[in-house]
Amino acid sequence: MALINYIGVYNFDNIFELTKDEMLELKDYMRMNSDSEYITRLLGVYIPNECKDQVIKELEPKLYGIRLDKIKECKNFILICPEIIQEFCIENYREFEKCGIEDIFELYTIIFDNVLAHEIGHGVFAYINDADNESKANYFASLTFDGTFDRIIKIMTDIQKGSYKNPKLIDDCIEDIVEKVYKIK
């Protein structure tokens, strides 16, 4: 399992930050590739090579020049939006206070790191494409931070709804993880 994690971490070429306006251009892509109601608040997204052309087409009205050229050079990449993450933190701060979060900046830092680890998790588990993609990505975020932010991941998934519900976390039964996350029987 550790080898799968290690190799999978290299399953993307780059990470790009987008503005809120740029990220909102991806609504059609997300509508076609997600059952989540949360698509209007996309915090981050892993883009596999087979979806790259569609995403680039949607980004072209807002993104141009060197940034767009760099994205076009990639096969698999991650898009993340600090602005939408910040809005998410401001709107949902009260939900996270019970986790010992003392201010919005601390929450922002944790959420940003978790979103990034989650999207990297999509790259790690890209070899398995099934209905549990979000659970696998959440498992990778849980694993990355050694379970430290599992309560925060649970709260985030409750807020996000849809396929984000019921995340797999490192404290879950190991047999469950082996079978449902890694698909090893």
Side-chain angles (χ1 to χ4, degrees):
M1 290 187 304
L3 184 59
I4 291 169
N5 294 341
Y6 179 75
I7 292 169
V9 166
Y10 296 97
N11 198 19
F12 67 95
D13 300 318
N14 212 334
I15 301 165
F16 300 96
E17 288 187 0
L18 297 184
T19 66
K20 180 179 177 179
D21 287 343
E22 293 164 347
M23 193 65 105
L24 290 175
E25 291 296 317
L26 299 178
K27 283 184 185 174
D28 289 338
Y29 167 77
M30 291 309 297
R31 204 168 281 115
M32 291 173 54
N33 294 289
S34 175
D35 67 348
S36 175
E37 300 165 18
Y38 203 64
I39 57 173
T40 58
R41 298 297 307 274
L42 189 61
L43 307 175
V45 62
Y46 169 79
I47 306 296
N49 192 44
E50 61 269 15
C51 300
K52 172 183 151 179
D53 291 338
Q54 179 187 355
V55 167
I56 288 171
K57 182 181 172 190
E58 289 183 18
L59 286 176
E60 282 179 331
K62 294 277 181 183
L63 205 60
Y64 48 86
I66 228 162
R67 287 178 64 215
L68 186 62
D69 292 341
K70 286 185 184 255
I71 290 174
K72 286 179 179 179
E73 292 172 5
C74 297
K75 288 185 180 176
N76 307 306
F77 54 94
I78 292 171
L79 303 173
I80 193 164
C81 184
E83 190 178 349
I84 294 176
I85 293 172
Q86 182 179 21
E87 288 176 1
F88 174 86
C89 293
I90 291 168
E91 290 170 15
N92 297 290
Y93 175 71
R94 296 276 179 240
E95 297 291 323
F96 294 96
E97 282 183 316
K98 55 189 162 205
C99 297
I101 302 297
E102 296 184 13
D103 59 39
I104 290 176
F105 180 75
E106 179 184 16
L107 179 62
Y108 171 82
T109 302
I110 292 169
I111 298 293
F112 185 94
D113 291 348
N114 270 285
V115 168
L116 185 55
H118 174 96
E119 298 310 330
I120 292 169
H122 282 299
V124 168
F125 294 108
Y127 71 98
I128 305 171
N129 191 11
D130 63 12
D132 293 326
N133 286 339
E134 297 305 331
S135 288
K136 289 176 185 64
N138 281 321
Y139 171 77
F140 188 78
S142 173
L143 185 65
T144 299
F145 298 108
D146 199 28
T148 303
F149 301 124
D150 284 1
R151 286 181 62 203
I152 290 170
I153 292 170
K154 284 181 182 180
I155 292 170
M156 282 184 71
T157 59
D158 284 345
I159 292 169
Q160 290 172 308
K161 301 181 178 72
S163 58
Y164 293 94
K165 283 287 198 190
N166 303 316
K168 294 290 177 211
L169 305 170
I170 63 170
D171 286 339
D172 291 347
C173 171
I174 190 65
E175 289 84 14
D176 222 22
I177 297 300
V178 169
E179 182 181 338
K180 292 188 176 145
V181 173
Y182 291 94
K183 299 293 183 186
I184 301 171
K185 292 182 182 183

